[in-house]
Amino acid sequence: DAGVIQSPRHEVTEMGQEVTLRCKPISGHDYLFWYRQTMMRGLELLIYFNNNVPIDDSGMPEDRFSAKMPNASFSTLKIQPSEPRDSAVYFCASSLTGPGETQYFGPGTRLLVL
Amino acid sequence: ILNVEQSPQSLHVQEGDSTNFTCSFPSSNFYALHWYRWETAKSPEALFVMTLNGDEKKKGRISATLNTKEGYSYLYIKGSQPEDSATYLCAFYSGSARQLTFGSGTQLTVLP
């Protein structure tokens, strides 16, 4: 298995631009998670899905952030418009049967908003 | 907001030394405690998932214990090697929160 796949690996954009991050979970995993890692706040959960349905989006910072999971093998995290404070590493993870089970992380997308 | 604390924040040891660090978490409504290993420029990699009070898990030179009644877990590394250098994260899952809450990690550096 290829593991969790994320793209792009690096993204540099200018303030105000739309940014779309992509994730492909491990096949057969029912749960998908989006995390953000910053120096100040560490690793924080943004949103997670169960069988493509958003379950908990309480970590999404504001309306500029949105996430979708149109099918079992694909999810996007969109930031529109982006701001410099959104600069961080964004990780996608998946787990087989629940948020309390082992989560398998993708390589992350390093985002820099200028 | 659940409080998951790890100590120390960072640690330097010599190759061959054994070391351990702590994860503290709320003792109520416990479901699971995870340990992850996170190397620089890579993604977190699962080490252990522990669910029962008194659990002990082992993988090679790394082992972990769990005390759910008092709300702590220890991670031990025996005979540290330079390749053990990484940040070790613990994450707590409670039945009420329905999500993993991560600690801030212990950054281990093993000096050759």
Side-chain angles (χ1 to χ4, degrees):
Chain A
D1 196 323
V4 176
I5 298 172
Q6 289 186 249
S7 65
R9 296 291 304 275
H10 302 272
E11 177 82 30
V12 181
T13 191
E14 292 188 344
M15 184 174 66
Q17 296 298 306
E18 178 179 295
V19 175
T20 300
L21 312 182
R22 297 173 178 81
C23 175
K24 182 180 188 307
I26 293 172
S27 177
H29 281 197
D30 288 341
Y31 285 78
L32 182 141
F33 309 85
W34 282 102
Y35 289 92
R36 178 171 66 176
Q37 187 238 343
T38 61
M39 290 291 291
M40 293 296 294
R41 299 172 68 94
L43 195 61
E44 53 179 345
L45 178 69
L46 299 177
I47 185 171
Y48 77 88
F49 296 84
N50 176 23
N51 291 324
N52 316 336
V53 176
I55 300 300
D56 186 344
D57 64 355
S58 59
M60 295 286 263
E62 48 197 274
D63 292 346
R64 297 184 297 106
F65 285 68
S66 62
K68 292 182 180 178
M69 192 165 185
N71 57 62
S73 59
F74 183 65
S75 177
T76 58
L77 178 68
K78 188 174 291 188
I79 309 172
Q80 165 64 17
S82 58
E83 296 182 3
R85 61 192 167 119
D86 301 331
S87 299
V89 182
Y90 291 82
F91 286 100
C92 176
S94 69
S95 71
L96 190 58
T97 56
E101 309 305 319
T102 298
Q103 294 186 16
Y104 297 85
F105 283 77
T109 295
R110 188 173 294 274
L111 174 65
L112 178 61
V113 183
L114 302 173
Chain B
I1 297 176
L2 298 174
N3 203 21
V4 180
E5 295 187 354
Q6 292 189 245
S7 62
Q9 197 171 29
S10 66
L11 191 56
H12 289 70
V13 300
Q14 289 293 138
E15 182 176 354
D17 287 351
S18 294
T19 187
N20 66 85
F21 19 95
T22 308
C23 173
S24 301
F25 51 86
S27 56
S28 61
N29 214 2
F30 177 88
Y31 183 88
L33 192 283
H34 296 221
W35 281 101
Y36 288 83
R37 182 173 179 274
W38 194 356
E39 288 183 71
T40 303
K42 295 188 177 179
S43 52
E45 182 185 333
L47 285 172
F48 306 116
V49 178
M50 309 176 78
T51 56
L52 297 175
N53 185 42
D55 244 357
E56 288 189 33
K57 300 265 186 175
K58 190 172 183 207
K59 183 187 273 191
R61 294 177 292 97
I62 304 177
S63 60
T65 61
L66 178 68
N67 183 323
T68 61
K69 295 187 189 306
E70 295 182 39
Y72 64 84
S73 175
Y74 293 137
L75 190 79
Y76 300 91
I77 303 179
K78 185 178 176 183
S80 304
Q81 299 297 308
E83 57 265 31
D84 296 329
S85 297
T87 296
Y88 291 83
L89 288 174
C90 70
F92 170 73
Y93 184 80
S94 77
S96 59
R98 301 195 306 162
Q99 60 172 266
L100 276 183
T101 301
F102 282 84
S104 54
T106 292
Q107 186 174 9
L108 174 68
T109 304
V110 182
L111 305 168

